Amino acid sequence: MNIINRHNDLPWALYREYDNQIDELNLNENIEHLGWSFACHTDIPRLRQGLVGAQFWAAWVNCTKQYKDAPRQCFDQVDVILRFVEKYDQTFQLVTTADGINTAFDDGKIGSMIGLEGGHCIDNSLATLRMFYNLGVRYMTLTHSCNTPWADNWKVDVDNSTVGGPVHGGLTDFGKKVVLEMNRLGMLVDISHVSRQSMIDTLQTTKAPIIFSHSSAFAYCNHYRNVQDDVLQLTKENRGVVMVNFYSHYVNCAPNLQEGDGNLTQVADHIDYIKDLIGVDFVGIGADYDGVDVLPEGLADVSTYPELFAELVRRGWSDDEMEKLAGLNLIRVFKEVEDVSFN
């Protein structure tokens, strides 16, 4: 079984720790001992141990760069992904299509796809969006944890939020144009990080299935980065997929708060919750490795995916169900997004 993880922030770690000087790090070695400022979850030996067959690498820059040089810095992060995929071409293979994922599997490579984490990267420009697509970007998260001039982020749903509540009331007219242009291009629309109303507006606007690249179930853990039940139902109607995040704060909170950072069984509970509510065809994995500083016990790094699947086996999941969770659901959505772009 090949596991497709929809969100990994190794590119940001390369920027943060090495200023994108990729030759200063050997990903062919286990690097968990390096003692980065936080995280150190990903390298080639642990990806192989974790049975990772494909990976969306996130190109992200801080929201403080919005209205400044966010597009240039986001292009830098796309560049570093392209460079490390090329450097380690015996392991990684750049993928820009759904069929390309299966080709990478057949070649014994880890299919490497690019996701743009935050609409602030395009600086209100559809032309910039198109340039990112031309470089290989195949999903964009509409916001990060800040509003753009055309979409509200999740923090507007939090009482006493520092952003002062809803600014746009979801997506603006231009925000809807962004979604439709992504449909036209064949770029997956990611609505992790956005506000509840932005989620609903996107689901009512898009002509193609959406993804939540790294979000969990709100009913199980009441954090506004997670997805509420009615939005989960809309996602089923849309034929999209929710990729469960492993970040402790999105996994382990009321009404199911446990001591410490939580544990692997809670992540399985989120997966089961989504499966039971809307079906196994609409859930996947979006771990957020190298983008978070605390993880549940049992899911310390990219080598631990098999432990999660072993837990699901204990819960009675079938092989077919686990294959859908592992990657077939994402491939199906990717193909349907491509089909919309062709019409």
Side-chain angles (χ1 to χ4, degrees):
M1 180 170 60
N2 288 298
I3 295 167
I4 306 175
N5 176 43
R6 285 47 160 214
H7 194 88
N8 184 298
D9 279 295
L10 178 64
W12 174 247
L14 294 173
Y15 172 81
R16 185 185 68 237
E17 303 294 334
Y18 302 104
D19 195 27
N20 285 345
Q21 301 303 305
I22 62 174
D23 289 338
E24 295 186 15
L25 180 70
N26 184 2
L27 290 177
N28 282 316
E29 298 177 351
N30 186 307
I31 61 172
E32 61 184 322
H33 64 282
L34 291 182
W36 289 349
S37 54
F38 77 86
C40 202
H41 303 143
T42 306
D43 50 51
I44 290 169
R46 286 184 288 173
L47 285 166
R48 291 300 196 189
Q49 185 179 348
L51 305 180
V52 177
Q55 173 68 69
F56 265 108
W57 305 103
W60 174 79
V61 300
N62 197 288
C63 282
T64 59
K65 303 301 179 182
Q66 186 165 214
Y67 311 119
K68 298 176 184 176
D69 59 347
R72 184 194 65 78
Q73 292 212 12
C74 290
F75 278 120
D76 286 351
Q77 292 311 107
V78 171
D79 173 71
V80 80
I81 295 168
L82 294 172
R83 287 192 293 123
F84 77 66
V85 168
E86 181 179 14
K87 178 178 179 180
Y88 298 99
D89 62 357
Q90 291 186 328
T91 298
F92 299 131
Q93 186 165 306
L94 184 66
V95 168
T96 59
T97 65
D99 286 343
I101 297 173
N102 288 317
T103 299
F105 291 167
D106 292 342
D107 292 343
K109 304 287 185 70
I110 296 174
S112 293
M113 299 162 284
I114 305 172
L116 195 64
E117 191 178 10
H120 59 295
C121 287
I122 67 169
D123 197 25
N124 309 316
S125 168
L126 296 180
T128 303
L129 173 69
R130 290 188 285 268
M131 290 304 297
F132 278 115
Y133 180 86
N134 289 339
L135 288 172
V137 171
R138 288 300 179 266
Y139 82 66
M140 183 175 75
T141 318
L142 297 187
T143 72
H144 194 254
S145 296
C146 56
N147 297 330
T148 67
W150 43 272
D152 286 338
N153 84 101
W154 68 271
K155 288 185 176 181
V156 306
D157 295 329
V158 182
D159 289 340
N160 301 315
S161 169
T162 55
V163 300
V167 173
H168 309 299
L171 296 185
T172 68
D173 288 343
F174 181 75
K176 294 172 184 178
K177 288 182 180 179
V178 171
V179 170
L180 292 173
E181 181 64 2
M182 293 173 71
N183 292 165
R184 188 190 69 81
L185 291 169
M187 184 184 289
L188 287 81
V189 179
D190 176 23
I191 50 177
S192 286
H193 277 285
V194 308
S195 71
R196 167 185 162 80
Q197 190 58 50
S198 293
M199 294 176 188
I200 293 170
D201 287 353
T202 301
L203 286 159
Q204 291 176 343
T205 300
T206 183
K207 296 180 179 179
I210 58 84
I211 65 169
F212 287 89
S213 66
H214 55 310
S215 295
S216 299
F218 182 90
Y220 187 87
C221 174
N222 293 168
H223 194 292
Y224 285 97
R225 270 285 282 103
N226 291 336
V227 191
Q228 297 180 40
D229 283 1
D230 60 338
V231 179
L232 287 172
Q233 294 289 358
L234 291 173
T235 300
K236 177 180 181 177
E237 293 174 17
N238 167 262
R239 294 182 52 77
V241 62
V242 181
M243 275 77 84
V244 171
N245 195 320
F246 293 1
Y247 184 37
S248 292
H249 295 319
Y250 304 160
V251 168
N252 179 32
C253 67
N256 293 289
L257 180 64
Q258 299 184 19
E259 291 186 7
D261 296 329
N263 54 66
L264 176 153
T265 61
Q266 287 179 290
V267 174
D269 289 340
H270 279 270
I271 293 169
D272 268 339
Y273 184 90
I274 296 170
K275 175 194 173 191
D276 292 344
L277 185 69
I278 62 172
V280 72
D281 293 320
F282 310 105
V283 64
I285 302 293
D288 214 357
Y289 284 124
D290 283 302
V292 298
D293 55 352
V294 286
L295 289 158
E297 181 181 352
L299 292 171
D301 58 43
V302 296
S303 71
T304 60
Y305 292 113
E307 300 303 318
L308 176 60
F309 282 81
E311 171 64 19
L312 297 175
V313 170
R314 287 190 286 271
R315 295 179 180 214
W317 280 55
S318 69
D319 289 347
D320 287 347
E321 288 174 331
M322 289 192 295
E323 286 179 358
K324 288 182 177 183
L325 174 74
L328 292 184
N329 289 340
L330 184 279
I331 292 173
R332 187 262 304 164
V333 168
F334 202 165
K335 286 182 176 178
E336 291 184 19
V337 168
E338 291 174 338
D339 288 344
V340 168
S341 75
F342 298 148
N343 295 320

